[in-house]
Amino acid sequence: AGVTANDDGYCFGKQSVIDAIQAIKEGKMVCVVDDMNRENEGDLIMAADACTPQDMAFIVKYSSGVVCIAMEGKRMDELKLPAMVSDNEDPKETAFSVTVDATKEHGITTGISATDRSRTVRLLAQPDCKPSDFARPGHIFPLRAQEGGVLTRDGHTEAAIDLSVLAGRSPSGILCEIVSEENPVEMMRLPEMKRFCKKYDFVLTSIVDLQQYRRETEGL
């Protein structure tokens, strides 16, 4: 089962969002689930500018391994990161761009190690990086977030940006889907996710909670 909103508009509660924002501010990971009628999946999310090699290794170990970085559209344009395909047929309209690695001038070797991938995402999060700092294709998947965040699109891409911005960090966030440990051929669902978060002391919140938090705090 996934999550659905209670009468107050929250699933896990307002405090879960407050705790998630604080965790992101401290450079920690959080777990964010979406609606049971959407993907019904949970993603590990953290601020891109905080991602260490150890963080990346953990993400790769417990996830699909397709590590994405949510970014604002204007920043992706500045870095010359166009859409991966001209006709996006993804059912959820996830806006993949061309994949990238940081260049060898930044100490990158093959680009796939946790060390290399963490270096690439941290570089993407820097406001002064340039298009020439990246080689295309690569092993990191930039995703173009829609303006307005989760209030425009109820995706993990937008949640990663919103949480990073609310935490006062660079407007870019790492996200990757969590794979079930109990049934490794499937994705992790909510009951197992609650146990996973308890085991690793991760804050668990949802896109629905983040939407309601933003509506309340921004007076929308």
Side-chain angles (χ1 to χ4, degrees):
V3 295
T4 52
N6 300 315
D7 291 342
D8 65 355
Y10 287 100
C11 298
F12 299 115
K14 184 175 183 177
Q15 192 62 43
S16 73
V17 183
I18 294 170
D19 291 344
I21 293 168
Q22 183 60 34
I24 296 290
K25 184 179 292 187
E26 294 172 6
K28 298 175 182 176
M29 281 177 230
V30 300
C31 183
V32 180
V33 295
D34 65 355
D35 192 279
M36 66 182 298
N37 298 314
R38 192 175 179 272
E39 290 180 323
N40 190 16
E41 290 180 357
D43 282 29
L44 285 169
I45 287 178
M46 72 175 301
D49 60 7
C51 187
T52 67
Q54 290 74 24
D55 291 326
M56 185 63 73
F58 184 94
I59 291 169
V60 170
K61 181 176 180 179
Y62 291 102
S63 75
S64 64
V66 179
V67 180
C68 301
I69 177 170
M71 300 178 69
E72 294 177 324
K74 61 183 179 182
R75 186 64 183 126
M76 294 180 74
D77 292 339
E78 291 169 355
L79 292 176
K80 295 182 169 53
L81 299 175
M84 185 182 286
V85 293
S86 56
D87 184 16
N88 190 345
E89 298 176 353
D90 183 278
K92 300 293 183 287
E93 299 181 351
T94 306
F96 286 93
S97 87
V98 294
T99 55
V100 298
D101 287 334
T103 60
K104 63 180 186 298
E105 284 77 16
H106 294 282
I108 299 298
T109 54
T110 62
I112 191 64
S113 70
T115 296
D116 283 359
R117 283 197 268 186
S118 66
R119 191 165 290 162
T120 296
V121 297
R122 288 200 310 274
L123 187 62
L124 283 165
Q126 290 181 14
D128 57 348
C129 67
K130 308 178 298 297
S132 58
D133 288 318
F134 303 97
R136 304 155 181 78
H139 299 88
I140 291 296
F141 292 75
L143 303 177
R144 179 181 290 256
Q146 290 193 16
E147 287 188 33
V150 295
L151 298 181
T152 301
R153 177 178 178 271
D154 58 347
H156 288 100
T157 303
E158 288 70 25
I161 292 273
D162 283 2
L163 285 169
S164 295
V165 170
L166 288 166
R169 303 196 71 114
S170 172
S172 52
I174 305 303
L175 58 154
C176 203
E177 306 94 339
I178 310 169
V179 172
S180 171
E181 290 185 272
E182 298 168 6
N183 185 13
V185 299
E186 299 289 346
M187 306 310 292
M188 191 179 289
R189 305 301 180 197
L190 188 58
E192 184 183 359
M193 208 161 297
K194 288 180 177 178
R195 296 190 292 273
F196 178 81
C197 289
K198 187 173 184 179
K199 179 179 178 180
Y200 292 106
D201 196 26
F202 290 147
V203 174
L204 175 63
T205 191
S206 75
I207 292 173
V208 172
D209 286 286
L210 184 54
Q211 288 171 323
Q212 182 62 19
Y213 177 87
R214 283 196 55 199
R215 281 192 289 265
E216 276 191 19
T217 57
E218 296 171 30
L220 301 173

